[in-house]
């Protein structure tokens, strides 16, 4: 490793604390096997190159979402910002240390070798990305700097091929938590540090050295390990993890490939992977301890203890059950949105509202609208009460107007007043599936397509829900209801398979409740007449599942149809009623 560079005459222009000691992120180098020995060290970079990095740009970085630079309120009232470039970060010791830790991880895992630049290759470039990591209560956890390759410069067939890598379905996460709540399993969270660096590359990928990393002239990095930003990095990491966990005795679920299951005479262990975050639970504590030790031998692991904060979801366990919320995520979204008032709303959308693409004047810059809607989509992981509103507003992200934006702000004001609202999975619950489905016929005036919605319960826990526009125009309300019924039947079929992996009995047919007697008749019997002869696929599929005892159809009055909550705006009283039935509560 190259020794620290002596301070030069440029040091007088630096901040005071840099004239008294060298930066923490002194330049790191990695020698290839053909490089000189330690008796002949490589020439160091100039101090200006060391501080500003290679090929830095003089222009100010642009915030791509238009929300302004991300800041975090630190201790003693200090406000810490997340740098938008290496040039900004090198001026702060905390980010210097974060970059030093990242470089050390890259060195430790042998991420690259330094080689002469091949004549026929144009190496891709890379950049530093900075993030202030906080705990679920908003307190500072650490400063994180990550070196990210600019994978968009890769070419298919040259330096990458297959890219797909599975991640856990959010429905799987909720179902797992619901089962663990009822069976009172302890849930542990594990984190792999620099996970992508564990994936081995099969392709030849060349990259320019990162800013602040000194190398001889004409040398580039040939990547041996996957790096964040590479197109094939997620796939390489997942393949490596799957091979390790399979060798430990797990088998991948056929119904969610990111779920790994181990069964023995002592019990069942479930491990769920979402990129580099994982949760492990079950009724075999000895095997869970063995798995943690085995993973720690293979990867740089952190055992985060009992599950508290996962993928932006705050999980709190009580004697009554498990609560899921995204309060911190909502507050972060509200801060970025910078609402100028302090109003709150009791419902997310006005009654009988019909929006169209031509309402109002187009926004000059739709970026903010798109970013907020995208954030709300993820917020829907624990908030079914905004499902319908987000579905409507997301239809206009290509060309939003001032009117659309005003209704988007109403959703934010609703969230401001209900940010602590949470989804509840009770312990005193059965583990039997039950589903509701509903449709609003020809609800979209622009194309007359209907809206399908469903919600699925595991005992008293809401684990799945959806609001979706139908792909074809329905000629009757019964036809629209049948399409919604086919949609929820597919979800129930998959959930039954998934619950079998969890060790939950699914021998009895799953009740599917609808308020359409016509749709029930079509699904039960081979009815043929002018209104049904063209919808054979959905009818035959649902009918087959009824005959195979996968589902059983039941009638429910419209006023008790819980899926109706996901198809239209409600009054204040209706809104509160449905929330109580869906087990969505404000904290006591």
């Amino acid at each position: 490793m190259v020794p620290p560079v002596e301070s030069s005459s440029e040091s007088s222009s630096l901040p005071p604390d840099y004239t008294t000691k060298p930066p923490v992120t002194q330049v790191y180098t990695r020698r290839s096997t053909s490089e000189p020995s330690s008796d002949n060290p490589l020439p160091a970079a100039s101090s200006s190159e060391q501080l500003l990095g290679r090929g830095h740009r003089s222009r100010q970085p642009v915030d791509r979402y238009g929300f302004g630079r991300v800041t975090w309120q630190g201790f003693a009232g200090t406000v810490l910002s997340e740098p938008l470039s290496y040039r900004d970060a090198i001026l702060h010791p905390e980010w210097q240390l974060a970059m030093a830790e990242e470089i050390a991880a890259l060195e430790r895992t042998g991420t690259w070798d330094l080689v002469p630049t091949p004549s026929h290759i144009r190496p891709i470039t890379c950049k530093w990305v900075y993030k202030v990591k906080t705990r679920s209560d908003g307190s500072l956890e650490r400063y994180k700097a990550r070196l990210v390759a600019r994978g968009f410069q890769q070419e298919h067939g040259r330096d990458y091929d297959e890219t797909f890598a599975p991640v856990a379905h959010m429905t799987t996460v909720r179902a797992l938590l619901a089962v663990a709540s009822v069976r009172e399993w302890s849930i542990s969270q594990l984190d792999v540090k620099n996970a992508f660096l564990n994936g081995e590359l099969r392709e030849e990928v060349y990259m320019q050295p990162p800013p602040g990393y000194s190398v001889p002239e004409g040398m580039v990095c040939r990547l041996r390990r996957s790096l964040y930003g590479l197109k094939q990095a997620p796939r390489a990491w997942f393949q490596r993890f799957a091979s390790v966990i399979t060798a430990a005795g797990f088998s991948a679920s056929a119904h969610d490939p990111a779920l790994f299951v181990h069964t023995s005479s002592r019990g069942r262990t479930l491990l769920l992977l979402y990129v580099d975050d994982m949760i492990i639970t079950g009724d075999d504590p000895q095997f869970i301890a063995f798995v943690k030790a085995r993973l720690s031998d293979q990867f740089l692991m952190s055992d985060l203890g009992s599950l508290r904060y996962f993928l932006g979801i705050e999980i709190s366990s009580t004697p009554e059950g498990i609560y899921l919320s995204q309060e911190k995520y909502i507050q972060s979204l509200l801060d970025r949105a910078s609402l100028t008032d302090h109003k709150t709303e009791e419902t997310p959308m006005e009654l009988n509202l019909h929006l169209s693409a031509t309402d109002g004047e187009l926004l000059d810059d739709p970026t903010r609208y798109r970013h907020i809607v995208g954030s709300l989509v993820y917020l829907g992981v624990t908030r079914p009460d905004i499902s319908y509103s987000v579905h409507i507003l997301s239809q206009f992200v290509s060309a939003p107007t001032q009117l659309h934006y005003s209704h988007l702000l109403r959703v934010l004001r609703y969230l401001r007043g209900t940010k602590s609202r949470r989804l509840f999975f009770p312990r005193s619950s059965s583990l039997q599936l039950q589903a509701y489905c509903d449709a609003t016929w020809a609800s979209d005036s622009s194309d007359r397509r209907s809206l399908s919605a469903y919600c699925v319960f595991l005992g008293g826990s809401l684990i799945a829900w959806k609001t979706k526009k139908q792909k074809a125009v329905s000629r009757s309300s019964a036809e629209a209801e049948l399409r919604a019924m086919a949609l929820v039947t597919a979800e129930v079929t998959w959930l039954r398979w998934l619950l079998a992996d969890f060790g939950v009995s699914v021998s009895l047919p799953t009740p599917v409740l609808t308020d359409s007697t016509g749709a029930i008749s079509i699904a039960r019997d081979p009815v043929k007449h002018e209104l049904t002869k063209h919808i054979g696929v959905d009818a035959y599929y649902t009918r087959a599942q009824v005959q195979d005892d996968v589902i059983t159809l039941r009638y429910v009055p419209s006023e008790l149809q819980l899926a109706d909550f996901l198809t239209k705006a409600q009054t204040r009283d209706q809104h509160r009623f449905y929330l109580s039935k869906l087990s969505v509560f404000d904290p006591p």
Side-chain angles (χ1 to χ4, degrees):
M1 185 173 295
V2 172
V5 178
E6 296 293 337
S7 60
S8 69
S9 58
E10 293 182 9
S11 62
S12 60
S13 63
L14 299 177
D17 50 343
Y18 281 88
T19 60
T20 58
K21 60 180 180 179
V24 180
T25 50
Q26 290 297 340
V27 214
Y28 292 81
T29 60
R30 178 177 180 83
R31 295 186 180 89
S32 66
T33 55
S34 61
E35 288 184 347
S37 65
S38 58
D39 296 331
N40 298 294
L42 298 174
S46 66
S47 68
S48 61
E49 181 178 89
Q50 179 182 340
L51 289 171
L52 298 180
R54 295 173 172 268
H56 72 275
R57 301 177 181 178
S58 59
R59 65 179 178 85
Q60 287 292 328
V62 178
D63 173 28
R64 58 178 176 168
Y65 296 128
F67 281 80
R69 180 170 299 195
V70 179
T71 60
W72 178 83
Q73 187 73 28
F75 296 106
T78 58
V79 177
L80 307 173
S81 63
E82 294 176 352
L84 298 179
S85 69
Y86 173 79
R87 187 176 184 178
D88 292 341
I90 198 62
L91 301 178
H92 301 281
E94 60 272 8
W95 295 115
Q96 294 174 10
L97 181 59
M99 287 187 286
E101 292 174 349
E102 176 77 354
I103 288 291
L106 296 172
E107 293 277 350
R108 183 177 57 252
T109 56
T111 304
W112 58 62
D113 292 328
L114 291 180
V115 299
T117 306
S119 58
H120 62 288
I121 292 296
R122 175 185 289 181
I124 63 175
T125 59
C126 57
K127 64 176 291 186
W128 287 102
V129 176
Y130 307 94
K131 181 68 177 177
V132 175
K133 303 291 286 186
T134 58
R135 301 182 181 89
S136 59
D137 60 0
S139 61
L140 174 66
E141 180 180 353
R142 63 190 172 103
Y143 299 92
K144 185 173 184 178
R146 173 155 286 163
L147 186 66
V148 177
R150 288 187 167 99
F152 60 85
Q153 298 171 348
Q154 292 180 266
E155 293 182 13
H156 184 266
R158 185 194 71 181
D159 50 12
Y160 81 94
D161 189 11
E162 297 292 336
T163 61
F164 173 77
V167 294
H169 293 282
M170 295 311 301
T171 300
T172 307
V173 176
R174 290 189 294 259
L176 181 61
L177 294 178
V179 172
S181 176
V182 172
R183 294 185 169 173
E184 299 186 2
W185 290 344
S186 62
I187 311 172
S188 297
Q189 182 178 2
L190 307 175
D191 177 72
V192 182
K193 295 182 180 179
N194 303 101
F196 281 12
L197 302 186
N198 294 285
E200 297 180 357
L201 292 179
R202 300 175 181 176
E203 305 87 357
E204 288 190 11
V205 183
Y206 296 89
M207 185 185 75
Q208 293 286 358
Y213 191 89
S214 176
V215 301
E217 192 68 29
M219 305 290 280
V220 294
C221 302
R222 179 181 176 180
L223 298 182
R224 300 294 183 184
R225 301 272 186 171
S226 59
L227 195 66
Y228 287 88
L230 292 179
K231 291 183 178 293
Q232 67 267 49
R235 184 180 183 89
W237 152 243
F238 184 83
Q239 288 176 337
R240 173 72 196 288
F241 180 84
S243 65
V244 171
I245 205 68
T246 301
F250 282 87
S251 58
S253 168
H255 313 112
D256 189 333
L259 172 68
F260 298 89
V261 184
H262 176 270
T263 56
S264 69
S265 58
R266 297 188 306 270
R268 182 180 299 264
T269 303
L270 305 170
L271 188 149
L272 194 65
L273 179 69
Y274 195 101
V275 189
D276 57 354
D277 292 302
M278 65 191 77
I279 53 179
I280 184 168
T281 186
D283 54 0
D284 188 353
Q286 291 182 344
F287 186 74
I288 291 175
F290 163 77
V291 171
K292 290 181 180 180
R294 184 70 173 269
L295 291 175
S296 296
D297 290 340
Q298 297 290 325
F299 310 113
L300 190 59
M301 298 284 300
S302 295
D303 187 345
L304 304 180
S306 297
L307 184 62
R308 292 288 182 270
Y309 192 62
F310 185 68
L311 306 177
I313 304 171
E314 298 153 52
I315 298 103
S316 56
S317 181
T318 69
E320 293 76 28
I322 294 177
Y323 290 89
L324 276 63
S325 67
Q326 292 173 278
E327 183 174 354
K328 179 174 175 286
Y329 184 86
I330 295 173
Q331 186 58 56
S332 174
L333 176 59
L334 294 174
D335 291 342
R336 295 197 306 273
S338 301
L339 294 179
T340 56
D341 57 49
H342 299 281
K343 296 179 181 178
T344 60
E345 298 287 349
E346 294 192 36
T347 59
M349 183 160 280
E350 296 178 8
L351 282 175
N352 304 316
L353 178 66
H354 298 284
L355 295 176
S356 68
T358 57
D359 291 336
E361 298 181 2
L362 291 175
L363 294 174
D364 294 333
D365 183 6
T367 306
R368 181 185 294 259
Y369 182 94
R370 292 168 181 168
H371 180 66
I372 295 176
V373 170
S375 299
L376 291 177
V377 169
Y378 187 70
L379 181 58
V381 168
T382 63
R383 296 294 298 266
D385 48 335
I386 63 170
S387 178
Y388 173 73
S389 305
V390 174
H391 166 79
I392 295 298
L393 295 171
S394 63
Q395 297 180 63
F396 308 109
V397 291
S398 60
T401 67
Q402 296 285 354
L403 181 62
H404 302 149
Y405 188 70
S406 66
H407 289 286
L408 180 63
L409 294 182
R410 178 188 174 99
V411 178
L412 294 180
R413 293 187 181 103
Y414 169 76
L415 292 173
R416 175 191 279 161
T418 61
K419 61 184 178 182
S420 60
R421 191 161 287 172
R422 55 197 64 186
L423 189 63
F424 179 54
F425 293 161
R427 297 196 189 279
S428 57
S429 171
S430 69
L431 290 176
Q432 297 298 317
L433 280 177
Q434 180 173 273
Y436 293 80
C437 67
D438 196 20
T440 52
W441 180 47
S443 57
D444 193 326
S445 58
S446 62
D447 56 17
R448 287 304 177 186
R449 285 189 287 173
S450 305
L451 195 64
S452 297
Y454 67 75
C455 53
V456 184
F457 291 83
L458 184 61
S461 303
L462 177 64
I463 60 172
W465 61 87
K466 176 170 283 191
T467 302
K468 184 178 182 179
K469 183 186 285 190
Q470 296 180 1
K471 294 183 179 180
V473 177
S474 298
R475 300 181 64 196
S476 65
S477 60
E479 179 182 340
E481 296 281 357
L482 184 65
R483 295 187 193 278
M485 191 181 295
L487 184 67
V488 73
T489 300
E491 183 76 2
V492 165
T493 303
W494 172 70
L495 279 170
R496 287 168 62 91
W497 293 335
L498 186 69
L499 290 173
D501 289 335
F502 293 165
V504 176
S505 174
V506 287
S507 57
L508 297 176
T510 299
V512 174
L513 287 77
T514 177
D515 56 3
S516 172
T517 55
I520 292 176
S521 298
I522 297 171
R524 281 178 174 169
D525 304 307
V527 178
K528 283 287 183 181
H529 52 71
E530 291 183 356
L531 292 180
T532 61
K533 62 185 179 182
H534 64 288
I535 53 175
V537 174
D538 286 336
Y540 275 109
Y541 172 70
T542 307
R543 191 177 303 139
Q545 300 304 92
V546 172
Q547 293 173 351
D548 291 342
D549 287 333
V550 174
I551 64 170
T552 179
L553 300 177
R554 297 179 183 175
Y555 174 78
V556 63
S558 297
E559 59 270 17
L560 298 178
Q561 173 56 269
L562 301 186
D564 185 63
F565 183 59
L566 307 174
T567 64
K568 60 178 70 71
Q570 311 290 336
T571 65
R572 296 177 183 178
D573 291 339
Q574 289 173 328
H575 191 79
R576 285 192 288 266
F577 168 77
Y578 283 119
L579 286 178
S580 65
K581 294 298 182 181
L582 297 176
S583 295
V584 180
F585 302 115
D586 291 317

